[in-house]
Each structure stands twice: as C-alpha cells, then as structure tokens.
Amino acid sequence: MDQKITQNGCIFSKSSGAVVPEPERNVVQLNTLSSRQMDSLTALCDTFLPSIHPNSYGHHHQEANIDDSFIKFLQTSASMNGTPQHIAWMVSNRLQHPKLNLCVLALWLLSTRIGTFIICGKASLSSQFPYLQSFSKVSPKKREEIVKSWETSWFKLLRIFFSGLKILVLLVFFTQVFNLRTIYNFNFCH
C-alpha cells in the first residue's frame, strides 16, 4: 500500500501526494449547540427544505403515475433526514470560518423571544399572548417570509447568515448517504 500515517495522525498518499486527516474511530463527537439552538436550526432547515405534499402541484399521484420513492422524497423535510444534526456537528467540530461565532450567536438569538424580535422584526410577532415568540414557534409561512427578507436585507451579516446557512442545508441534505435499510425497509439478516 502506498499510504503512510504521519506524526500528526494524517494519512499521506504517495500516489496522489495528498495529506488527508485520518478518520477518527470510536470517538463520540459532541454537539456544542444547546437544545434551544437546535430547535432554531431545525426550524431554519425546514424553512429552506420543507416537506412538499404531492398534491400541491395540482396533480394527484394516482393519475400521474408518480413513483412512490418520488412521493417519499417530496414528503421528506430537512429535519426528517437528520440535516440539523449534521449541520450542528459541522458547526461544532469541522467548520473553521471567521464568522462562525456570529452564526452560533444568531442561532442563540433566534432561540429567544427577544432575539427573534431583534433579528426578524415585527413579522415574528404573534396576535395572541405572549406576543413575542422564539423562531421555532413562528408559523412556517411567516418563517419563510422572514428568511426571504434576510436575502435582501440591508444588514450585511443577515445576508451572510442567510447565504451560509442555505448553502450548508442544501449541501448536507443532498449529499447524505442513506442507509438501504431505512430507505427500502429491507432486513439484510434474513
């Protein structure tokens, strides 16, 4: 084999000349986000990639002969797929960016009532008591409007937060490798 493990635990491949960190084995990676921050992250993930009802396009799946796997794909939201947990792990362990602390701060603000009001404005207000609500409690339609407003916000950090989170959600959701047992409900042991 043309691979060699270096002193700092990286794998060096002679054929490609690449140095790749060795995957850690039997190590539990901890998530440093709180449960309230995870609720906000889950709400954001579901805002970017919500589940879609097949009849929302005006077609009934029996009439259009749509495949059942396509129906399941449409009905799968980002949170049903474990995307928030993967993003939280990436934020806690893998990503290294100067603005990463601002992302964690924004998730913390969105997990509080007053922080949600500061970041989202009057669109986050409820007509019933308590009038202030955290981002995860805002209705999905209002959350969508709020997130769309971040894209064109005059506040540059909100635009950066929007772009970065949208890229992360789409990247993680569409690059996950699924377990065949989960997809096909197939038991390999029998």
Side-chain angles (χ1 to χ4, degrees):
M1 199 190 257
D2 66 341
Q3 293 182 345
K4 176 178 128 183
I5 297 181
T6 63
Q7 288 179 334
N8 58 357
C10 294
I11 299 174
F12 175 74
S13 174
K14 291 179 185 175
S15 61
S16 67
V19 177
V20 181
E22 182 180 14
E24 298 178 24
R25 294 179 180 93
N26 300 326
V27 176
V28 177
Q29 297 292 336
L30 298 177
N31 175 8
T32 58
L33 297 180
S34 70
S35 63
R36 294 181 68 178
Q37 286 173 316
M38 284 300 298
D39 288 343
S40 298
L41 182 60
T42 301
L44 281 166
C45 289
D46 283 343
T47 303
F48 284 116
L49 280 170
S51 62
I52 300 171
H53 194 274
N55 294 336
S56 65
Y57 292 112
H59 297 95
H60 297 289
H61 66 277
Q62 290 89 8
E63 296 172 5
N65 293 328
I66 298 176
D67 189 20
D68 285 338
S69 60
F70 181 68
I71 300 288
K72 287 181 183 178
F73 175 74
L74 287 177
Q75 293 174 340
T76 303
S77 68
S79 64
M80 293 168 63
N81 203 20
T83 302
Q85 290 78 14
H86 283 87
I87 292 174
W89 178 83
M90 288 173 68
V91 166
S92 300
N93 300 309
R94 293 296 302 248
L95 295 179
Q96 297 175 355
H97 193 274
K99 304 270 191 258
L100 188 61
N101 289 333
L102 291 175
C103 176
V104 174
L105 176 66
L107 287 173
W108 176 76
L109 284 171
L110 289 173
S111 70
T112 64
R113 293 177 181 177
I114 192 72
T116 300
F117 180 67
I118 291 169
I119 292 180
C120 303
K122 65 181 181 179
S124 66
L125 293 175
S126 173
S127 60
Q128 300 172 359
F129 186 80
Y131 302 109
L132 297 177
Q133 50 190 349
S134 63
F135 190 76
S136 60
K137 303 294 184 205
V138 176
S139 71
K141 191 72 172 167
K142 281 190 173 185
R143 281 196 312 243
E144 187 177 331
E145 292 171 9
I146 290 167
V147 170
K148 281 182 183 178
S149 73
W150 293 348
E151 184 178 20
T152 58
S153 173
W154 61 271
F155 192 49
K156 185 177 180 179
L157 293 176
L158 270 180
R159 291 194 313 264
I160 292 171
F161 180 64
F162 168 82
S163 300
L165 200 58
K166 183 176 179 181
I167 288 169
L168 277 176
V169 169
L170 295 175
L171 174 76
V172 169
F173 182 82
F174 288 111
T175 59
Q176 287 184 27
V177 178
F178 299 103
N179 184 353
L180 287 176
R181 290 183 191 179
T182 313
I183 294 174
Y184 298 111
N185 242 356
F186 185 75
N187 190 353
F188 289 110
C189 298
H190 293 118

